[in-house]
Amino acid sequence: MATISSSISADFSGENGYAEIDWDNIGFSLTPTDYMYKMKCSKDDEFTVIEANLIPYGNIELSPAAGVLNYGQGLFEGMKVIRREDGKLVLFRPEENALRMKIGAERMCMPSPSVDQFIDAVKQTALANKRWIPPPGKGSLYIRPLLLGTGPILGLSPALEYTFLIYASPVRNYFKEGSAALNLYVEDQFDRASRGGSGGVKSITNYAPVLKPMTKAKDRGFSDVLYLDSVSGKYIEEVSSCNIFIVKDKIISTPTINGTILPGVTRKTIINIACDHGFKVEERQIAVEELLEADEVFCTGTAVVVVPVGSITYQGKRVEYHTTDTNSVNKKLLSTFVAIQNGQVEDIHGWLVEIN
Ligand code: COI
């Protein structure tokens, strides 16, 4: 396991080492923690840092003309720190998030922190909020890095100043269903991403447009929405908050990363784990009709982890999947993923980064 060190060592733990909250009842809502990290930078080729430090968690001041407020120049990431039974605090593949932010920043004309700056800042934020990292098995500390165009700009152009901000919140299950199967609604009126757009990067502008179809679907009792490609409307792409996989005759398939699908870190990890288990994995176009024939469907994401799909509704037709089989492919992949994080299965790929 890689270990990284930081110039700031912080231990803000209370008497028993934990914040006083009901650790058995956390979902995916915001619990404000103690500290956040703020790095102010100017736009030039080198990403010049003006100032960087941990500060008490709280509101930030923004110019009304900030690029992010006016033109949506912003990116975010999502990562988790877990506290293991052996006392280790571990991050999972943080360099993947750092690199994804770099690629996104390039697309959005923003400068970005280096991989080392990113990981060091994430580590500092996690350690400063150590008492909010849930006890083993009770969730994780969700880390939310943001890169925002905070310089004022009136005409449409990239801002001249940027803020890299990281806050954290303890979380457990993303969906109100807990780890139970999801009921997805296939959206054929609203698109999530278009060819040549920003669907393949974690731009903040990808998320507000899904609120309407998602809210409508939730009001009708669905867990979330599955989007189709915007060109033909024939192929599945992703869910509002996660990637999607199907399993047919033990072959695992997921839509190809083609610019309109977010390259999820959990997606990539599950493909790696599936290959390690000897499964055939295909990244390809998946016609929506294939959902009708699938043996299993499941979703992956940092927030959602790996969650089975119990039903999919498309154009008034509902198809259901058996999700109680303990030998299902998705349960096998999830248990290996969790066992690697918990140190019960060897981390052969070097994915874990210990931070304490
Ligand atoms: C994550 O999985 O970390 C995400 O960023 C998805 C978000 C909608 C919660």
Side-chain angles (χ1 to χ4, degrees), residues 248-260:
K248 177 72 182 165
D249 298 332
K250 302 280 178 207
I251 298 175
I252 302 172
S253 305
T254 191
T256 325
I257 299 295
N258 60 357
T260 54

Side-chain angles (χ1 to χ4, degrees), residues 28 76 78 142 144 174 202 207 241 301-303:
F28 204 89
F76 76 93
Y142 186 76
R144 175 54 69 84
Y174 181 75
K202 216 159 167 61
Y207 291 84
S241 52
T302 300

Side-chain angles (χ1 to χ4, degrees), residues 117-132:
Q117 282 171 324
F118 181 101
I119 296 176
D120 182 59
V122 165
K123 183 197 171 191
Q124 288 190 44
T125 312
L127 288 178
N129 293 301
K130 193 170 166 183
R131 70 192 186 106
W132 298 96

Side-chain angles (χ1 to χ4, degrees), residues 68 72-78 97-113 144-149 162-165 198 200-207 262:
V68 64
Q73 213 189 4
L75 292 166
F76 76 93
E77 277 298 327
N97 298 85
L99 289 168
R100 188 167 67 182
M101 179 168 270
K102 278 196 110 31
I103 293 166
E106 214 275 318
R107 175 67 181 83
M108 307 297 281
C109 283
M110 303 161 85
S112 56
R144 175 54 69 84
L146 299 167
L147 184 63
L148 310 171
Y162 292 83
T163 303
F164 177 50
L165 200 65
S198 63
V201 298
K202 216 159 167 61
S203 163
I204 59 170
T205 54
N206 292 337
Y207 291 84
L262 189 81

Side-chain angles (χ1 to χ4, degrees), residues 181 247 294-298 308-311 319-331:
V247 184
D295 301 324
E296 288 174 43
V297 179
F298 63 93
V309 173
S311 78
V319 51
E320 298 195 349
Y321 307 97
H322 295 293
T323 53
T324 48
D325 179 2
T326 46
N327 286 321
S328 64
V329 171
N330 71 81
K331 287 202 172 57

Side-chain angles (χ1 to χ4, degrees), residues 103 221 259 293 302 347 356:
I103 293 166
E293 305 297 323
T302 300
D347 174 25
N356 53 340

Side-chain angles (χ1 to χ4, degrees), residues 80 241-243 245 264-267 270 299-307 337:
K80 284 175 173 171
S241 52
C242 45
N243 295 118
F245 286 75
V265 179
T266 311
R267 174 189 179 279
I270 287 301
C299 294
T300 64
T302 300
V304 312
V305 193
V306 177
V307 60
F337 178 64

